[in-house]
Amino acid sequence: MGFAKRTHTCGELREQHEGSTATINGWVAQHRDYGGVLFVDIRDRYGITQVVFVDEASQEASELARKLHYEDVVSITGNVRKRENPNDNIPTGQIEILATSLEVLNRAATPPFEVREEVKASEELRLKYRYLDLRRRALQKNFIIRNQLYQVAHKYFEEQNFLEVETPVLMKSTPEGARDYLVPSRLHRGQFYALPQSPQIYKQILMMSGFDRYMQIVKCFRDEDLRADRQPEFSQIDIEMSFVDELDIYALIEEFIKRLWKDVLDIEITAPFRQISWHQAMTTYGSDKPDTRLGMEITTLSELAKTCGFGVFANAVNDGGDVAAICAKGCAGYSRKQIDGLTDVAKRYGAGGLAWMKVKEDGELQSPIAKFFSDDELKEIVAKTGAEAGDLILFGSADFNTCYTVLGALRLEIAKQTGLAESVKGNDDFLWVVDFPLLEFDADSNRYIALHHPFVQPKAEDVDKLNSDPASVSAIAYDLVINGYEAGGGSIRIHDQSIQAKVFELLAMSEEEAEDKFGFLLEALKYGAPPHGGIALGLDRLAMILARTENIRDVVAFPKTTSALSLMDDAPSGVSEEQLKELGISIVTKD
Amino acid sequence: MGFAKRTHTCGELREQHEGSTATINGWVAQHRDYGGVLFVDIRDRYGITQVVFVDEASQEASELARKLHYEDVVSITGNVRKRENPNDNIPTGQIEILATSLEVLNRAATPPFEVREEVKASEELRLKYRYLDLRRRALQKNFIIRNQLYQVAHKYFEEQNFLEVETPVLMKSTPEGARDYLVPSRLHRGQFYALPQSPQIYKQILMMSGFDRYMQIVKCFRDEDLRADRQPEFSQIDIEMSFVDELDIYALIEEFIKRLWKDVLDIEITAPFRQISWHQAMTTYGSDKPDTRLGMEITTLSELAKTCGFGVFANAVNDGGDVAAICAKGCAGYSRKQIDGLTDVAKRYGAGGLAWMKVKEDGELQSPIAKFFSDDELKEIVAKTGAEAGDLILFGSADFNTCYTVLGALRLEIAKQTGLAESVKGNDDFLWVVDFPLLEFDADSNRYIALHHPFVQPKAEDVDKLNSDPASVSAIAYDLVINGYEAGGGSIRIHDQSIQAKVFELLAMSEEEAEDKFGFLLEALKYGAPPHGGIALGLDRLAMILARTENIRDVVAFPKTTSALSLMDDAPSGVSEEQLKELGISIVTKD
């Protein structure tokens, strides 16, 4: 087992070490044989160091070195000397090691793909051999950034007097919204634990326990049909505070984000962040997590549309919905096929179709629906949307949510297609979206559901409307949006037992159901719950933004695919009959 | 929602604040009405502040204050003044607040037990109302210590260049030893994830990925029949390093423990810690996690016993086992009943019975088995065990493990009964137990099982014996033992694929089974695995030791009972048919 342990990492040696003896341990990254002289680059997490083998220094080492393969693990000792041809691109580029001894610590078979910055292998192959992919600097850099994120979070919240507390992973199943992952109990047959979708209730209970300021970096779980940017397990920086209002939370988090950008990216950002209401975010950007950098604001045209001759528009407004539009700069030249593509996007978000108008070079409007509008109406549309020659106007007409969500999706699509999205990168944008509705009506289940979760405090001035007009009640809820990503969300929580009971009632939860699911919380609210609130920041999301990647799998060490598979270790997998028997469950074959 | 937010915590005001106006928020902890003057103590996480209400300062506040109940949540504003009768026992004892206004933020119903330091309620009731129990200073203090433990760990390992990396919670089931908690997959019917018993394989894979130094504070899960000091989910400080040997790990962890004791307890401890081999720990203390502070070392008497006239002893040795004894100082006066109690302990650990000898005041031995020994043999027993008048000698005779384990258990029992255990408290003892056997033979399954886990590196000089005499192979494995608790355990891992395959074979794992369970690890070992090793420290265990408690539930915010129930929220619980149907599982009714 004994081997020559490193005296230096592969990123450490500099000119000042010239003349000293050093041992490095690492992987063979390059191997160039010039007859009498052999150059081998050795790589570790910290960098790359060039090693030279010549017979004059050690014939034994030199001969052994000729047989090295890429990714072999070695220990090399030698003399540090200045390079004849320095490499100014790497920190160790001024020196090299003249090897006097070489030890092969482990051999490497030929890997299924080369460990290089530019890798051509499929993502599937790279996930299967994750340990090889993770050797690439481009990926390692992400985990160094992610580590910085952890460290800034640990330090910052400790300075702010937060207590790190761990909440249970094996908890009670109280499905509201997303699906729980369940864990059968062996000791209590027929009963199940659930993995937390968030430690929401526990952190509130900690406030009722007098912990005052809680933080935890915590894994959460949602058994959803996955999207590209979701993982079945994800991490959040979970925060809760007592005796505060939303302004305290904003200030706390803004300072944290400032620190993060400074420490990780060396970028100074300014706070406070802008705030816009949920309603304004929806009507201006068609999203509750708008990327405001893109401009291309939505224009509401409902007033004009109400009385126009185009039945689709007029009906939408008269049914209580809206008509609105965006102006796609310079897109008047879009082909039939391109517009069909946009129509598909619109349909995916619930639109029946996509109405459009092209502003031609002569200022004329070209559109299948132009004929339904008077000249004045057309002029007003052009004026309001700010369209100019060469632009394309796209319309949404539907209920409020669909109308604006469709335009929000088209806005992002246009930004991608025109290169606008690419052009704003690196210019980070921080935003609070506030004043969310407390509830939204769910047509499927014909009842109100909580827009965030059932514990959000209604705005003081709206509490009276919980009875008379629940849909109009605003919540003290806020999302942190960075570059169009929801980077965090939180709220002030209900600390009054009667308001909590009322909200459960609005959610069509019977007293029995409320008692069964959340009885202990209602009970806890009786014994002196302080005013409290908090936020959860999406850690994976923040890491993505800081690492400047749009693939969440680039910042998760062992990610799962969109079908929740781990390609490296083949989870999930079958288990033994004995295991199932002990758990008292059986598998139901597909019906 | 608006309320007067605190300007100071309840632990913050001092004489220097005299004359200033302050607002505090907190819970009513005490309430003493002296007619015209009302004293109310307000409590928060940071301390207690006395508030005085008199009509002259504010009649309104004074009247409202008379109606306060224990645990009501309040905001109080007033003038800080010096107390007439200072309380030197608390940091805020020099001042009080003369209240000019009082706001009741939330009312508290009469709690099921009082929030006091000395609480008489059953642990069951206290777990059900955990949020009330957690308000007690005695418990909050533990979580402040636990938080310090996290912070020291975060800082120390970052300084040492470790990267914090999160490993998956939803992983593959590879049961070896303890039972996995399973999570049915909805997307892949009939397949299951497992919750990690430890991130062992992932951290090794991270080393193969070139991460060099990994740390994570991570939840682990074992579905065992619980003991008093175990929880189904527990936390560990998980560490792995590349290009190291065990000496590097010892040095790293010793420095961490030193820092911890200094920062949390202000105690200077000295390193390096003593090391004793597993064999020595067993034969001297009858335990692989000995509390060496207790003394009372075991004396091996196998040589003497082999030829003695007492058949039970002679047979034990001649069957390949051992005979050994401890001397219980001053216990010669033990009654029949007390000795029966000790016999029960011995039987619980596998002994057939308990042989004993009392050394009477005149030096005579009183014992049912004395007659089987010659005078010389008796003298030798007394001499070797160091027994003196008034002592009690207790014997073990069985196979090696049983013989010494029984004596180890008796040793702890005697230490408890005689007050010895109590007397050594606070005098912390740090120890490495090293040179564990790699394998132990499991009679039940008639095969070798890994004493730690299947990835432990055999000692270099023993590798050859893997074929010839596997039972005698020592592992490069080490446990950190503090005060008789296993505070951590680790090893140098196998990085050679052929040795790993050989160990799987010794564990009676077929090539198919090894391939199925650990194929990806065997594969990863092919592509350049560095020498590596690590350790996992039991975080809950360390928190217990630092908090000076022997109840693990005192350092876990929301603990489960020994039958894995959460009494606060009633987990585990039944789930809906719909949930089960989606998962494709059904509950098997008890057979």
Side-chain angles (χ1 to χ4, degrees):
Chain A
M1 271 299 289
F3 63 91
K5 285 195 274 184
R6 64 185 168 201
T7 56
H8 297 79
T9 69
C10 294
E12 201 173 346
L13 293 169
R14 298 284 183 280
E15 258 182 306
Q16 77 212 51
H17 297 97
E18 193 192 344
S20 64
T21 300
T23 301
I24 56 174
N25 298 163
W27 285 261
V28 173
Q30 288 261 13
H31 190 267
R32 296 180 308 277
D33 194 343
Y34 298 112
V37 189
L38 181 72
F39 292 96
V40 180
D41 284 353
I42 306 300
R43 187 194 67 231
D44 68 9
R45 180 183 118 197
Y46 312 94
I48 285 189
T49 297
Q50 176 169 294
V51 180
V52 186
F53 291 89
V54 291
D55 283 354
E56 294 73 36
S58 165
Q59 193 175 348
E60 193 189 353
S62 198
E63 275 169 21
L64 191 54
R66 284 206 161 72
K67 294 174 204 145
L68 286 176
H69 296 93
Y70 292 121
E71 301 308 314
D72 281 348
V73 186
V74 295
S75 174
I76 287 165
T77 301
N79 302 311
V80 182
R81 68 179 193 189
K82 272 170 89 166
R83 275 207 216 183
E84 279 180 32
N85 302 305
N87 176 353
D88 292 332
N89 296 321
I90 58 171
T92 58
Q94 304 306 310
I95 57 88
E96 62 192 7
I97 294 178
L98 182 66
T100 52
S101 80
L102 161 65
E103 213 175 332
V104 178
L105 304 180
N106 215 349
R107 288 285 181 193
T110 305
F113 56 88
E114 276 192 50
V115 178
R116 298 248 162 141
E117 283 322 283
E118 290 302 319
V119 63
K120 282 174 192 127
S122 68
E123 187 171 21
E124 205 176 316
L125 192 69
R126 291 192 288 123
L127 286 173
K128 182 169 160 63
Y129 296 93
R130 185 66 170 172
Y131 41 90
L132 295 177
D133 208 25
L134 284 174
R135 285 183 199 167
R136 292 192 299 126
R137 182 75 48 202
L139 271 185
Q140 289 210 340
K141 165 187 80 50
N142 294 346
F143 292 93
I144 289 166
I145 287 174
R146 190 171 170 129
N147 177 62
Q148 289 177 296
L149 169 49
Y150 292 121
Q151 304 315 323
V152 173
H154 296 320
K155 277 185 206 125
Y156 176 76
F157 290 104
E158 199 219 358
E159 284 168 22
Q160 303 291 324
N161 253 323
F162 282 75
L163 287 183
E164 190 174 337
V165 181
E166 287 182 73
T167 52
V169 175
L170 295 172
M171 61 173 276
K172 181 177 174 150
S173 179
T174 55
E176 266 297 300
R179 262 185 226 96
D180 282 334
Y181 276 105
L182 295 182
V183 182
S185 162
R186 179 180 55 86
L187 294 172
H188 305 277
R189 189 172 272 228
Q191 308 210 310
F192 293 80
Y193 302 97
L195 303 183
Q197 296 188 25
S198 108
Q200 183 61 36
I201 298 183
Y202 291 107
K203 66 177 177 171
Q204 292 191 231
I205 291 279
L206 285 173
M207 295 304 103
M208 297 169 207
S209 307
F211 275 60
D212 203 78
R213 296 182 155 213
Y214 144 92
M215 92 79 79
Q216 183 183 198
I217 295 182
V218 62
K219 273 277 175 74
C220 300
F221 306 84
R222 276 182 209 167
D223 184 10
E224 295 297 354
D225 299 317
L226 300 177
R227 298 200 312 251
D229 68 339
R230 285 271 176 89
Q231 286 280 309
E233 54 181 288
F234 55 96
S235 300
Q236 61 189 36
I237 303 174
D238 202 43
I239 299 291
E240 196 78 7
M241 305 168 84
S242 290
F243 303 117
V244 295
D245 59 25
E246 62 276 26
L247 302 181
D248 298 297
I249 312 268
Y250 300 158
L252 174 84
I253 297 304
E254 284 164 354
E255 194 54 38
F256 171 63
I257 297 288
K258 274 177 75 170
R259 176 90 69 97
L260 201 51
W261 253 249
K262 179 67 191 154
D263 286 6
V264 179
L265 299 175
D266 198 22
I267 292 178
E268 299 274 2
I269 58 174
T270 54
F273 303 155
R274 274 174 306 133
Q275 293 181 21
I276 68 171
S277 71
W278 173 83
H279 191 269
Q280 194 193 338
M282 289 300 290
T283 56
T284 311
Y285 305 104
S287 169
D288 58 5
K289 44 176 196 282
D291 187 342
T292 63
R293 300 172 302 177
L294 306 172
M296 216 193 304
E297 299 186 1
I298 296 171
T299 307
T300 296
L301 299 167
S302 300
E303 270 309 308
L304 175 153
K306 192 166 23 181
T307 55
C308 77
F310 185 43
V312 174
F313 282 12
N315 291 343
V317 179
N318 290 318
D319 288 352
D322 280 285
V323 171
I326 53 170
C327 169
K329 281 280 156 211
C331 295
Y334 264 37
S335 67
R336 183 73 240 168
K337 199 176 151 200
Q338 284 175 301
I339 289 187
D340 284 350
L342 295 177
T343 308
D344 288 344
V345 172
K347 285 181 175 169
R348 213 178 309 138
Y349 286 84
L354 178 60
W356 53 268
M357 294 181 179
K358 290 179 178 172
V359 189
K360 307 185 65 170
E361 286 308 318
D362 56 9
E364 282 299 290
L365 287 172
Q366 182 203 334
S367 166
I369 62 164
K371 59 187 173 212
F372 298 111
F373 296 87
S374 70
D375 279 355
D376 278 356
E377 285 169 340
L378 292 175
K379 267 188 201 148
E380 194 179 335
I381 289 171
V382 169
K384 285 204 160 162
T385 57
E388 297 171 315
D391 295 349
L392 171 68
I393 305 171
L394 301 170
F395 295 89
S397 64
D399 62 274
F400 179 90
N401 271 333
T402 308
C403 169
Y404 289 106
T405 305
V406 164
L407 288 172
L410 288 169
R411 178 175 171 269
L412 294 183
E413 182 63 27
I414 295 285
K416 208 162 84 183
Q417 292 185 5
T418 58
L420 178 60
E422 191 62 32
S423 73
V424 299
K425 273 189 187 164
N427 180 18
D428 299 315
D429 177 50
F430 305 87
L431 191 69
W432 290 106
V433 176
V434 302
D435 293 349
F436 281 81
L438 184 70
L439 307 164
E440 61 180 349
F441 193 76
D442 182 50
D444 287 347
S445 57
N446 193 35
R447 65 179 185 102
Y448 287 106
I449 57 172
L451 200 73
H452 280 80
H453 54 62
F455 317 112
V456 178
Q457 173 73 36
K459 285 190 132 183
E461 61 267 33
D462 289 358
V463 168
D464 290 344
K465 293 194 286 185
L466 282 173
N467 284 311
S468 55
D469 185 10
S472 76
V473 173
S474 282
I476 310 182
Y478 32 81
D479 278 1
L480 174 65
V481 176
I482 306 178
N483 302 347
Y485 287 107
E486 185 194 325
S491 59
I492 298 299
R493 329 296 185 183
I494 298 168
H495 67 277
D496 180 307
Q497 203 232 7
S498 64
I499 296 179
Q500 186 64 71
K502 178 75 207 163
V503 169
F504 284 148
E505 189 192 317
L506 286 172
L507 297 173
M509 226 184 268
S510 68
E511 265 186 56
E512 294 69 38
E513 197 189 346
E515 179 59 34
D516 181 48
K517 279 187 177 171
F518 302 114
F520 70 102
L521 179 71
L522 285 171
E523 180 80 4
L525 286 169
K526 279 188 202 164
Y527 298 109
H532 63 289
I535 193 166
L537 301 174
L539 193 141
D540 309 287
R541 208 60 71 76
L542 280 173
M544 275 171 72
I545 297 169
L546 290 167
R548 307 303 190 195
T549 172
E550 280 162 26
N551 183 346
I552 196 161
R553 292 182 292 281
D554 286 348
V555 296
V556 175
F558 300 104
K560 295 192 173 60
T561 65
T562 47
S563 58
L565 295 173
S566 170
L567 298 181
M568 186 179 76
D569 58 6
D570 281 331
S573 61
V575 297
S576 71
E577 272 309 311
E578 198 190 326
Q579 283 176 286
L580 295 181
K581 200 176 157 200
E582 280 199 312
L583 295 175
I585 59 172
S586 66
I587 295 164
V588 179
T589 45
K590 204 102 186 177
D591 36 38
Chain B
M1 273 298 293
F3 63 91
K5 284 195 274 185
R6 63 186 168 199
T7 56
H8 297 79
T9 69
C10 295
E12 199 173 349
L13 293 168
R14 297 285 184 280
E15 257 182 307
Q16 78 213 51
H17 297 98
E18 194 192 345
S20 64
T21 300
T23 300
I24 57 173
N25 298 163
W27 285 262
V28 173
Q30 287 262 14
H31 190 266
R32 297 179 308 276
D33 194 342
Y34 296 113
V37 191
L38 181 72
F39 292 96
V40 180
D41 283 353
I42 306 300
R43 187 195 67 232
D44 68 11
R45 181 183 117 195
Y46 311 92
I48 284 188
T49 297
Q50 175 169 294
V51 179
V52 187
F53 290 90
V54 292
D55 284 353
E56 295 72 36
S58 164
Q59 194 175 348
E60 193 189 354
S62 198
E63 275 170 19
L64 191 53
R66 280 204 164 72
K67 293 174 205 145
L68 285 176
H69 297 92
Y70 292 121
E71 301 307 315
D72 281 348
V73 185
V74 296
S75 174
I76 287 164
T77 301
N79 302 311
V80 182
R81 69 180 192 187
K82 272 170 83 167
R83 276 206 215 182
E84 278 181 34
N85 301 305
N87 175 353
D88 292 331
N89 295 322
I90 58 171
T92 59
Q94 304 305 310
I95 57 87
E96 63 192 6
I97 293 178
L98 182 67
T100 51
S101 82
L102 163 65
E103 212 176 332
V104 177
L105 304 180
N106 214 350
R107 288 284 182 193
T110 305
F113 56 87
E114 278 191 49
V115 178
R116 297 249 163 140
E117 282 323 283
E118 289 302 318
V119 62
K120 283 177 191 121
S122 67
E123 187 172 21
E124 204 176 317
L125 192 69
R126 292 193 287 124
L127 286 174
K128 182 170 160 61
Y129 296 93
R130 185 67 172 172
Y131 41 89
L132 295 177
D133 208 25
L134 285 174
R135 286 184 197 167
R136 292 192 300 124
R137 182 73 49 202
L139 272 186
Q140 289 209 339
K141 166 186 80 49
N142 294 348
F143 292 92
I144 289 167
I145 287 174
R146 190 171 169 127
N147 177 62
Q148 289 177 293
L149 169 49
Y150 292 122
Q151 304 315 323
V152 174
H154 295 321
K155 276 184 207 128
Y156 176 75
F157 290 103
E158 199 221 357
E159 284 168 21
Q160 302 292 324
N161 253 323
F162 282 75
L163 287 183
E164 191 174 337
V165 181
E166 288 181 74
T167 52
V169 175
L170 296 172
M171 61 174 276
K172 180 175 172 150
S173 180
T174 55
E176 265 296 300
R179 262 185 226 95
D180 282 334
Y181 276 104
L182 296 182
V183 182
S185 161
R186 178 180 56 86
L187 295 172
H188 305 278
R189 190 174 271 226
Q191 306 211 309
F192 293 80
Y193 302 98
L195 303 183
Q197 296 187 26
S198 109
Q200 182 61 37
I201 299 183
Y202 291 107
K203 66 177 178 171
Q204 293 190 231
I205 292 279
L206 284 173
M207 295 305 102
M208 299 170 207
S209 306
F211 276 60
D212 202 78
R213 297 184 155 211
Y214 144 91
M215 90 79 80
Q216 183 183 196
I217 295 182
V218 62
K219 273 276 175 75
C220 300
F221 305 84
R222 275 183 210 167
D223 185 11
E224 294 298 352
D225 301 315
L226 301 176
R227 299 199 314 251
D229 68 339
R230 285 272 176 88
Q231 287 280 309
E233 54 183 288
F234 55 96
S235 300
Q236 61 190 38
I237 303 174
D238 202 42
I239 299 292
E240 197 78 7
M241 303 168 84
S242 290
F243 303 116
V244 296
D245 59 25
E246 61 276 25
L247 303 181
D248 299 296
I249 311 269
Y250 300 158
L252 175 84
I253 297 303
E254 284 165 354
E255 193 54 39
F256 171 64
I257 296 289
K258 273 176 76 171
R259 176 91 67 97
L260 202 51
W261 253 250
K262 178 68 191 154
D263 286 6
V264 178
L265 299 175
D266 199 23
I267 292 177
E268 300 273 3
I269 59 175
T270 53
F273 303 157
R274 273 174 304 134
Q275 293 180 20
I276 68 172
S277 72
W278 173 84
H279 191 270
Q280 192 191 341
M282 289 299 290
T283 56
T284 312
Y285 305 105
S287 170
D288 57 6
K289 45 176 198 275
D291 187 342
T292 63
R293 300 172 303 176
L294 305 172
M296 214 192 307
E297 298 186 1
I298 296 171
T299 307
T300 296
L301 300 167
S302 301
E303 271 308 307
L304 176 152
K306 190 164 28 176
T307 55
C308 78
F310 185 44
V312 173
F313 282 12
N315 291 343
V317 179
N318 291 317
D319 289 350
D322 281 286
V323 171
I326 53 170
C327 169
K329 281 281 155 207
C331 295
Y334 264 38
S335 65
R336 184 73 240 168
K337 197 176 152 199
Q338 284 175 299
I339 290 187
D340 284 351
L342 296 177
T343 308
D344 288 344
V345 171
K347 286 181 174 169
R348 213 179 307 140
Y349 286 83
L354 178 61
W356 53 267
M357 293 180 180
K358 290 178 177 174
V359 190
K360 306 185 67 169
E361 285 309 318
D362 57 8
E364 283 298 291
L365 287 173
Q366 183 204 332
S367 165
I369 63 164
K371 59 186 174 215
F372 298 111
F373 296 86
S374 69
D375 279 355
D376 277 355
E377 285 170 341
L378 291 176
K379 266 187 199 147
E380 195 180 333
I381 289 172
V382 170
K384 286 204 159 162
T385 58
E388 298 173 314
D391 294 350
L392 170 68
I393 304 171
L394 301 170
F395 295 90
S397 64
D399 62 274
F400 179 91
N401 271 333
T402 308
C403 169
Y404 289 105
T405 306
V406 162
L407 288 173
L410 288 169
R411 177 175 172 270
L412 294 183
E413 181 63 27
I414 295 286
K416 207 161 86 183
Q417 291 184 7
T418 58
L420 179 59
E422 190 63 33
S423 74
V424 299
K425 274 191 187 161
N427 180 19
D428 299 314
D429 178 48
F430 304 86
L431 191 68
W432 290 107
V433 177
V434 301
D435 293 349
F436 282 81
L438 184 71
L439 306 163
E440 60 181 349
F441 193 77
D442 182 51
D444 287 348
S445 57
N446 193 36
R447 63 178 186 104
Y448 287 107
I449 57 173
L451 200 75
H452 280 82
H453 54 62
F455 316 111
V456 178
Q457 172 73 36
K459 284 190 135 183
E461 60 268 33
D462 289 359
V463 167
D464 290 343
K465 292 194 285 183
L466 283 173
N467 285 309
S468 56
D469 184 11
S472 76
V473 174
S474 282
I476 310 182
Y478 31 81
D479 278 1
L480 174 65
V481 176
I482 306 178
N483 303 346
Y485 288 106
E486 185 195 325
S491 59
I492 299 299
R493 330 296 185 183
I494 298 168
H495 68 278
D496 180 306
Q497 203 230 9
S498 65
I499 296 179
Q500 185 64 72
K502 178 74 206 164
V503 170
F504 284 149
E505 188 192 318
L506 286 172
L507 297 173
M509 226 183 266
S510 67
E511 266 187 55
E512 294 70 41
E513 197 189 346
E515 179 58 34
D516 181 48
K517 279 187 178 171
F518 302 115
F520 69 103
L521 179 71
L522 286 170
E523 180 80 4
L525 286 169
K526 280 187 203 164
Y527 298 109
H532 62 289
I535 194 166
L537 301 173
L539 193 141
D540 309 288
R541 209 60 70 74
L542 280 174
M544 276 171 73
I545 297 169
L546 291 167
R548 306 303 191 197
T549 172
E550 281 162 26
N551 183 346
I552 196 162
R553 292 181 293 282
D554 286 348
V555 296
V556 175
F558 300 104
K560 294 193 173 60
T561 65
T562 46
S563 57
L565 294 173
S566 170
L567 298 180
M568 187 180 77
D569 58 8
D570 282 330
S573 60
V575 297
S576 70
E577 272 308 312
E578 198 190 327
Q579 284 175 285
L580 296 182
K581 201 176 157 202
E582 278 199 312
L583 295 175
I585 60 171
S586 67
I587 295 164
V588 179
T589 46
K590 204 102 184 173
D591 34 39

